[in-house]
Short mmCIF file of all heavy atoms in Angstrom, two decimals:
data_model
loop_
_atom_site.label_atom_id
_atom_site.label_comp_id
_atom_site.label_asym_id
_atom_site.label_seq_id
_atom_site.Cartn_x
_atom_site.Cartn_y
_atom_site.Cartn_z
N LYS W 69 -16.86 -9.41 -39.41
CA LYS W 69 -16.31 -8.38 -40.35
C LYS W 69 -16.43 -8.78 -41.90
O LYS W 69 -16.12 -9.98 -42.15
CB LYS W 69 -14.79 -8.13 -39.98
CG LYS W 69 -14.73 -7.57 -38.57
CD LYS W 69 -13.24 -7.35 -38.21
CE LYS W 69 -13.06 -6.83 -36.75
NZ LYS W 69 -11.66 -6.70 -36.34
N ALA W 70 -16.72 -7.87 -42.79
CA ALA W 70 -16.95 -8.19 -44.18
C ALA W 70 -15.62 -8.54 -44.76
O ALA W 70 -14.53 -7.98 -44.36
CB ALA W 70 -17.68 -7.07 -44.81
N TRP W 71 -15.66 -9.40 -45.74
CA TRP W 71 -14.50 -9.58 -46.56
C TRP W 71 -14.32 -8.51 -47.59
O TRP W 71 -15.30 -7.77 -47.85
CB TRP W 71 -14.67 -11.01 -47.37
CG TRP W 71 -15.34 -11.08 -48.59
CD1 TRP W 71 -16.72 -10.94 -48.65
CD2 TRP W 71 -14.76 -10.98 -49.88
NE1 TRP W 71 -17.01 -10.92 -50.01
CE2 TRP W 71 -15.93 -11.01 -50.77
CE3 TRP W 71 -13.59 -11.00 -50.43
CZ2 TRP W 71 -15.87 -10.86 -52.13
CZ3 TRP W 71 -13.39 -10.99 -51.85
CH2 TRP W 71 -14.47 -11.01 -52.67
N SER W 72 -13.14 -8.39 -48.15
CA SER W 72 -12.85 -7.25 -49.13
C SER W 72 -12.06 -7.89 -50.25
O SER W 72 -11.20 -8.70 -49.98
CB SER W 72 -12.00 -6.17 -48.36
OG SER W 72 -11.65 -5.24 -49.29
N PRO W 73 -12.34 -7.57 -51.45
CA PRO W 73 -11.54 -8.10 -52.62
C PRO W 73 -10.19 -7.52 -52.72
O PRO W 73 -9.29 -8.19 -53.30
CB PRO W 73 -12.41 -7.57 -53.81
CG PRO W 73 -13.19 -6.46 -53.29
CD PRO W 73 -13.44 -6.64 -51.90
N THR W 74 -9.93 -6.36 -52.01
CA THR W 74 -8.56 -5.97 -51.88
C THR W 74 -8.23 -5.57 -50.46
O THR W 74 -9.14 -5.13 -49.71
CB THR W 74 -8.26 -4.63 -52.80
OG1 THR W 74 -9.17 -3.63 -52.33
CG2 THR W 74 -8.58 -4.96 -54.33
N VAL W 75 -6.99 -5.75 -50.08
CA VAL W 75 -6.58 -5.54 -48.68
C VAL W 75 -5.26 -4.77 -48.66
O VAL W 75 -4.60 -4.64 -49.71
CB VAL W 75 -6.49 -6.80 -47.87
CG1 VAL W 75 -7.69 -7.46 -47.78
CG2 VAL W 75 -5.40 -7.70 -48.59
N ARG W 76 -4.93 -4.13 -47.52
CA ARG W 76 -3.67 -3.40 -47.40
C ARG W 76 -2.75 -4.22 -46.58
O ARG W 76 -2.80 -4.25 -45.28
CB ARG W 76 -3.95 -2.07 -46.70
CG ARG W 76 -4.76 -1.02 -47.44
CD ARG W 76 -4.88 0.21 -46.73
NE ARG W 76 -5.62 1.31 -47.50
CZ ARG W 76 -6.86 1.58 -47.32
NH1 ARG W 76 -7.58 0.90 -46.39
NH2 ARG W 76 -7.37 2.53 -48.00
N PRO W 77 -1.77 -4.92 -47.15
CA PRO W 77 -0.88 -5.76 -46.40
C PRO W 77 0.00 -4.87 -45.55
O PRO W 77 0.50 -3.82 -45.90
CB PRO W 77 0.06 -6.41 -47.49
CG PRO W 77 -0.77 -6.38 -48.62
CD PRO W 77 -1.62 -5.12 -48.61
N PRO W 78 0.19 -5.34 -44.20
CA PRO W 78 1.00 -4.52 -43.29
C PRO W 78 2.37 -4.21 -43.79
O PRO W 78 2.92 -3.12 -43.53
CB PRO W 78 1.00 -5.31 -41.97
CG PRO W 78 -0.34 -6.09 -42.08
CD PRO W 78 -0.49 -6.51 -43.56
N ARG W 79 2.96 -5.21 -44.45
CA ARG W 79 4.45 -5.03 -44.84
C ARG W 79 4.50 -4.15 -46.00
O ARG W 79 5.61 -3.69 -46.30
CB ARG W 79 4.99 -6.39 -45.19
CG ARG W 79 5.19 -7.23 -43.92
CD ARG W 79 6.18 -6.65 -43.00
NE ARG W 79 6.28 -7.32 -41.71
CZ ARG W 79 6.77 -6.69 -40.68
NH1 ARG W 79 7.26 -5.45 -40.54
NH2 ARG W 79 6.86 -7.37 -39.50
N LEU W 80 3.39 -3.69 -46.59
CA LEU W 80 3.46 -2.68 -47.70
C LEU W 80 3.18 -1.34 -47.05
O LEU W 80 2.81 -0.33 -47.84
CB LEU W 80 2.59 -2.99 -48.83
CG LEU W 80 2.96 -4.25 -49.62
CD1 LEU W 80 1.93 -4.49 -50.70
CD2 LEU W 80 4.26 -4.19 -50.12
#
Side-chain angles (χ1 to χ4, degrees):
K69 299 178 181 178
W71 82 283
S72 175
T74 61
V75 295
R76 296 185 176 96
R79 287 302 170 196
L80 293 181

